[in-house]
Amino acid sequence: MAEYIESLQRLAEEFGRLEGVGKKTAMRMAFSVLELEQEDAEAFASAILEARRRIHLCPVCQNLTDRDICPICADPDRDHGLICVVTDARAVMAMEKVREFRGVYHVLHGLISPINGVTPEQLKIRELLARVESGEVQEIIVATNPTVEGEATAMYLSRLLRPLGVRVTRLAYGVPVGADLEYADEVTLFRALEGRRDV
Amino acid sequence: MAEYIESLQRLAEEFGRLEGVGKKTAMRMAFSVLELEQEDAEAFASAILEARRRIHLCPVCQNLTDRDICPICADPDRDHGLICVVTDARAVMAMEKVREFRGVYHVLHGLISPINGVTPEQLKIRELLARVESGEVQEIIVATNPTVEGEATAMYLSRLLRPLGVRVTRLAYGVPVGADLEYADEVTLFRALEGRRDV
């Protein structure tokens, strides 16, 4: 056991806090840190603090960024009348890989889920409404995951936004049902984007 | 892509340096760090530096420790005449889980492997010889993995140590051939320990 090497044990516990990292993986990573050069270990530690310190939400799209306004929202070449609504920052990353979407994003930071006690008020829906009410938006593509919560959130947004005169579409079922956007391949995502339909 | 969030990208790269962490896992972990509380992120960063700063090799058994001499070598209740020779610190951890071994350890920090250019001089064999020559040692259990390199290293140690009048044994083949000690279950390791035989 590692109990007799306290600082190793403590480091493994820190790794264990991360999403999807089990006990054995955490210990393996802790050992791995010991094999880093001193300067690499320092770079690692400072990257953690730096990322925490610098990254915040873009005031426009609510995506993660380390600038005042994220580069996508700040890009004049993108279509600011077309907003792709996603669950989290990872989905933005997945969509950007397609390299075909020229609109902008809106990150909800979750999905409506009565079972888990997540209500619309806890998501960045108010901020989305404000963007739509500013008048510039023509279409909103709801690209939440094709799961129960994703569909429910899409329905909710559609009912909320359609009366405001904006077209609300949904990604086509090119994405495998039940899967996570993050793991969809680029071609599938591209097909899903092309075949989007009105909710 | 995360290229537009530089500090996130940098953090993911740092995770990617760790053994067995691929690109997707690294990015997932970087996101995970952003979800930590500020104080947890600070604790994580300091645990990395602390582990690197405090952990060194025990001057006796060459295992990792954050004390002057590791708690196993410093324990008067353990049998210092019985040394279990292992490849790395993880194997010590696996052996300690059995809770049946009352001897001490010696960590080689590798295996002889001409293909990978690892010669006996690069391992902690000199330090093992010095311990045997001090006269206190009666038996050495060579608990290297049952792989080609593990067997070759065991043979090498046996030829080196037997002339010094010490009994050299090898773990019984309770451990599945080709596997890694770290993943053996406790019962298998216990059987292997009981059925050890002369090389």
Side-chain angles (χ1 to χ4, degrees):
Chain A
M1 308 266 220
E3 279 115 40
Y4 58 91
I5 318 176
E6 278 164 45
S7 35
L8 185 68
Q9 185 66 28
R10 205 185 125 218
L11 181 57
E13 276 163 22
E14 295 294 340
F15 275 111
R17 282 180 206 271
L18 303 180
E19 194 195 319
V21 178
K23 258 187 151 180
K24 282 228 165 178
T25 310
M27 186 50 79
R28 183 170 276 266
M29 288 180 167
F31 271 118
S32 218
V33 165
L34 299 182
E35 280 156 25
L36 294 178
E37 296 296 321
Q38 180 63 31
E39 60 176 33
D40 287 338
E42 278 163 20
F44 191 1
S46 84
I48 289 171
L49 298 175
E50 192 80 339
R52 278 282 319 177
R53 193 175 61 79
R54 297 188 55 167
I55 297 174
H56 55 264
L57 301 188
C58 167
V60 181
C61 70
Q62 313 296 321
N63 191 13
L64 300 170
T65 185
D66 48 10
R67 319 239 182 120
D68 288 343
I69 286 178
C70 83
I72 296 175
C73 288
D75 187 347
D77 291 340
R78 298 194 71 132
D79 181 357
H80 292 260
L82 176 63
I83 297 181
C84 178
V85 175
V86 291
T87 309
D88 53 29
R90 292 177 207 188
V92 174
M93 229 172 256
M95 288 297 291
E96 282 299 280
K97 273 192 197 145
V98 190
R99 296 179 192 283
E100 286 292 332
F101 180 67
R102 297 304 305 159
V104 292
Y105 295 94
H106 192 86
V107 182
L108 294 176
H109 291 279
L111 292 171
I112 298 169
S113 169
I115 280 177
N116 298 314
V118 183
T119 62
E121 292 71 39
Q122 290 164 266
L123 307 179
K124 303 292 184 184
I125 292 176
R126 220 181 350 255
E127 291 80 355
L128 178 62
L129 270 180
R131 290 175 79 180
V132 172
E133 280 160 0
S134 76
E136 207 195 348
V137 183
Q138 279 105 45
E139 180 182 346
I140 288 187
I141 307 172
V142 185
T144 49
N145 283 336
T147 57
V148 176
E149 282 92 356
E151 292 294 350
T153 307
M155 285 306 290
Y156 179 89
L157 290 177
S158 157
R159 280 185 201 147
L160 195 72
L161 299 167
R162 199 93 54 73
L164 301 175
V166 68
R167 187 181 169 208
V168 181
T169 56
R170 183 104 177 86
L171 282 188
Y173 269 118
V175 268
V177 177
D180 196 308
L181 265 194
E182 196 186 351
Y183 296 107
D185 61 274
E186 278 119 273
V187 179
T188 308
L189 270 175
F190 178 48
R191 291 274 153 73
L193 200 59
E194 271 193 328
R196 67 184 187 265
R197 55 188 171 67
D198 291 282
V199 179
Chain B
M1 308 268 219
E3 279 115 42
Y4 59 90
I5 318 175
E6 278 163 46
S7 34
L8 185 69
Q9 186 66 28
R10 205 186 124 218
L11 181 57
E13 276 163 21
E14 295 294 340
F15 276 112
R17 282 179 206 272
L18 304 180
E19 193 196 320
V21 178
K23 259 186 151 181
K24 283 228 163 176
T25 310
M27 185 52 78
R28 181 170 279 266
M29 288 180 167
F31 271 118
S32 218
V33 165
L34 298 182
E35 282 155 25
L36 293 178
E37 296 296 323
Q38 180 63 32
E39 58 176 33
D40 286 339
E42 279 164 20
F44 191 0
S46 84
I48 289 171
L49 297 175
E50 192 80 337
R52 276 284 316 177
R53 193 175 61 78
R54 297 188 55 169
I55 297 174
H56 55 264
L57 302 188
C58 168
V60 181
C61 71
Q62 312 296 321
N63 191 13
L64 300 169
T65 185
D66 48 11
R67 319 238 181 120
D68 287 342
I69 286 179
C70 83
I72 296 175
C73 287
D75 186 347
D77 290 341
R78 298 192 72 131
D79 181 357
H80 292 261
L82 176 63
I83 298 181
C84 178
V85 175
V86 292
T87 309
D88 52 30
R90 291 178 208 186
V92 174
M93 230 172 255
M95 288 296 293
E96 282 298 281
K97 273 193 197 145
V98 191
R99 295 179 193 281
E100 286 291 332
F101 181 66
R102 298 304 306 159
V104 292
Y105 294 94
H106 191 87
V107 183
L108 294 176
H109 291 279
L111 292 171
I112 299 169
S113 168
I115 280 178
N116 298 312
V118 183
T119 61
E121 291 71 39
Q122 289 165 265
L123 307 179
K124 302 293 185 185
I125 292 176
R126 219 181 351 254
E127 290 80 356
L128 178 61
L129 270 180
R131 289 175 79 180
V132 172
E133 279 161 1
S134 76
E136 209 195 347
V137 183
Q138 279 105 46
E139 179 181 346
I140 288 187
I141 306 172
V142 184
T144 51
N145 283 337
T147 56
V148 175
E149 282 92 355
E151 292 293 350
T153 307
M155 284 307 290
Y156 179 89
L157 289 177
S158 157
R159 280 187 201 145
L160 196 71
L161 297 168
R162 200 93 54 75
L164 302 175
V166 66
R167 187 179 168 209
V168 182
T169 56
R170 183 104 177 85
L171 282 188
Y173 267 119
V175 269
V177 178
D180 196 308
L181 265 194
E182 196 186 352
Y183 296 107
D185 61 275
E186 278 119 272
V187 179
T188 308
L189 269 175
F190 178 48
R191 290 275 152 72
L193 201 59
E194 271 193 326
R196 67 185 186 263
R197 56 185 170 69
D198 290 284
V199 180

